[in-house]
């Protein structure tokens, strides 16, 4: 893969991973229309590393607190198991600890709850998604659906829920939405942010939740492709090109996340919906006439 190809794909990854236009849909359409070869697994994994870096940079403070409180939750849950055993043997002087004691602990558990249906759905429809990516009509239809979803998003009244007031049922439903977004043409960010809004999340918190929730999903996708990536022989020159692609994806992704905060505040999803309608119609027509 050349340097220019690495830069181009880094830009595409950074833009479409976070803007509500579906990265998988665009990749599928590009591959079919222009006869592009499949992106090497090793490079695809590295591009995901780049987008993960963008999320970590934007939300480092929140992510660090989630990690810290996640381990503290695990500690307290372990202590409670020990206390339960002690109670069973007659030593009842020990008290249970409160595991979910603040909003960050609840936020962390909500992310876990969201990830469960995402993983299950992703595995169940993996074959369907792989087949759909070889066509033009399927991604085109899904892009039209994404356009409708984005139109709905701009019409939803602003909610007030944050981690403190949101429920685990909300988190599970949003996880289902993220799982369905594995289908090419369905925008993960558009679908999850809209689902957050339908569950009455405050707008900025909806963006934060959708992007931080993407970390396990993106990381999981990268890990699944890791065996194929390790099997590839990457030269030093290719490695240098890949590194440039990572940096480009991270930088572009960072600015896209910042831009999304303004879009959601100004109800600007409708502009992306018209784009999705246009690209979806073109893809369907191209698929019919091919």
């Amino acid at each position: 893969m050349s340097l220019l190809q690495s830069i181009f794909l880094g830009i595409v990854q950074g833009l479409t991973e976070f803007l509500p236009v579906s990265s998988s849909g665009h990749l599928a359409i590009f591959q079919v229309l222009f006869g592009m070869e499949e992106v090497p697994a090793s490079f695809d994994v590295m591009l995901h590393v780049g987008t993960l870096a963008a999320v970590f940079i934007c939300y480092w403070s929140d992510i660090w607190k989630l990690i810290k409180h996640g381990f503290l939750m695990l500690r307290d849950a372990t202590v409670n198991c020990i206390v339960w055993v002690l109670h069973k043997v007659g030593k009842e002087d020990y008290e249970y600890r409160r595991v979910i004691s603040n909003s960050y602990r609840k936020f962390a558990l909500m992310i876990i709850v969201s990830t469960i249906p995402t993983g299950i759905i992703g595995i169940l429809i993996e074959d369907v998604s792989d087949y759909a990516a070889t066509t033009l009509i399927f991604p085109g239809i899904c892009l039209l659906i994404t356009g409708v979803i984005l139109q709905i998003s701009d019409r939803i009244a602003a909610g007030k829920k944050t981690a403190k007031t949101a429920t685990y049922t909300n988190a599970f439903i949003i996880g289902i939405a993220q799982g369905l977004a594995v289908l090419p043409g369905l925008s993960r960010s558009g679908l999850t942010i809209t689902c957050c809004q339908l569950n009455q999340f405050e707008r900025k918190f909806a963006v934060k939740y959708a992007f931080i929730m993407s970390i396990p999903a993106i990381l999981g996708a990268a890990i699944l492709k890791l065996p194929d990536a390790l099997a590839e022989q990457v030269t030093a020159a290719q490695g240098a090109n890949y590194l440039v692609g990572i940096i480009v994806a991270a930088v572009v992704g960072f600015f896209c996340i910042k831009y999304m905060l303004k879009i959601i505040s100004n109800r600007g999803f409708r502009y992306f919906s018209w784009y999705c309608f246009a690209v979806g119609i073109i893809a369907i027509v191209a698929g019919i006439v091919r």
Side-chain angles (χ1 to χ4, degrees):
M1 181 173 292
S2 69
L3 178 60
L4 287 178
Q5 288 176 320
S6 296
I7 293 173
F8 173 74
L9 290 175
I11 293 172
V12 171
Q13 174 73 11
L15 284 173
T16 58
E17 184 67 44
F18 299 114
L19 295 181
V21 294
S22 177
S23 58
S24 59
H26 279 72
L27 181 59
I29 292 171
F30 286 158
Q31 287 179 343
V32 175
L33 281 181
F34 303 114
M36 293 173 58
E37 295 182 1
E38 187 177 354
V39 177
S42 55
F43 185 59
D44 188 69
V45 169
M46 291 185 178
L47 285 180
H48 280 85
V49 171
T51 49
L52 275 176
V55 178
F56 270 88
I57 292 170
C58 285
Y59 293 110
W60 172 245
S61 177
D62 290 297
I63 292 171
W64 167 244
K65 290 177 182 177
L66 287 171
I67 293 172
K68 181 180 72 174
H69 285 288
F71 279 108
L72 291 176
M73 285 168 57
L74 182 61
R75 180 202 65 186
D76 290 346
T78 302
V79 170
N80 285 345
C81 290
I82 295 173
V83 170
W84 181 83
V85 173
L86 292 174
H87 284 185
K88 288 297 181 180
V89 297
K91 297 181 179 180
E92 299 183 358
D93 295 335
Y94 299 94
E95 296 183 357
Y96 288 107
R97 294 187 178 185
R98 186 180 176 186
V99 178
I100 309 301
S101 56
N102 57 52
S103 59
Y104 272 103
R105 291 192 179 197
K106 185 178 179 183
F107 194 171
L109 186 56
M110 286 175 62
I111 296 295
I112 295 171
V113 171
S114 291
T115 301
I116 293 172
T118 294
I120 294 173
I121 294 172
I123 292 171
L124 290 177
I125 65 176
E126 182 180 9
D127 291 339
V128 175
S129 178
D130 289 342
Y131 171 75
T134 64
T135 71
L136 283 173
I137 294 178
F138 195 102
I141 292 173
C142 286
L143 279 168
L144 295 183
I145 295 173
T146 294
V148 173
I149 290 170
L150 297 180
Q151 286 284 335
I152 292 172
S153 178
D154 275 356
R155 289 166 171 76
I156 300 173
K160 297 182 179 179
K161 287 184 181 179
T162 60
K164 185 177 181 179
T165 53
T167 67
Y168 299 115
T169 301
N170 296 148
F172 190 84
I173 293 171
I174 296 165
I176 293 174
Q178 181 170 244
L180 293 174
V182 73
L183 295 172
L186 289 181
S187 166
R188 193 206 63 79
S189 61
L191 196 58
T192 53
I193 290 174
T194 301
C195 192
C196 284
Q197 291 181 268
L198 287 171
N199 281 276
Q200 294 299 299
F201 281 25
E202 188 269 332
R203 288 181 179 273
K204 287 187 177 180
F205 180 66
V207 175
K208 179 191 294 187
Y209 189 83
F211 286 147
I212 293 180
M213 180 180 67
S214 74
I215 294 175
I218 295 174
L219 189 60
I223 291 174
L224 287 175
K225 294 181 179 180
L226 192 58
D228 293 333
L230 294 175
E232 295 176 356
Q233 293 183 347
V234 180
T235 65
Q238 287 176 321
N241 292 343
Y242 287 5
L243 180 60
V244 173
I246 293 175
I247 295 172
V248 171
V251 172
V252 174
F254 173 82
F255 286 106
C256 284
I257 292 175
K258 293 295 185 181
Y259 183 51
M260 281 292 289
L261 293 171
K262 294 183 179 179
I263 292 173
I264 195 70
S265 298
N266 298 327
R267 302 190 180 210
F269 272 5
R270 61 187 180 278
Y271 303 114
F272 291 98
S273 73
W274 298 123
Y275 172 81
C276 289
F277 287 144
V279 176
I281 291 171
I282 292 171
I284 292 171
V285 172
I288 293 173
V289 301
R290 285 181 82 246

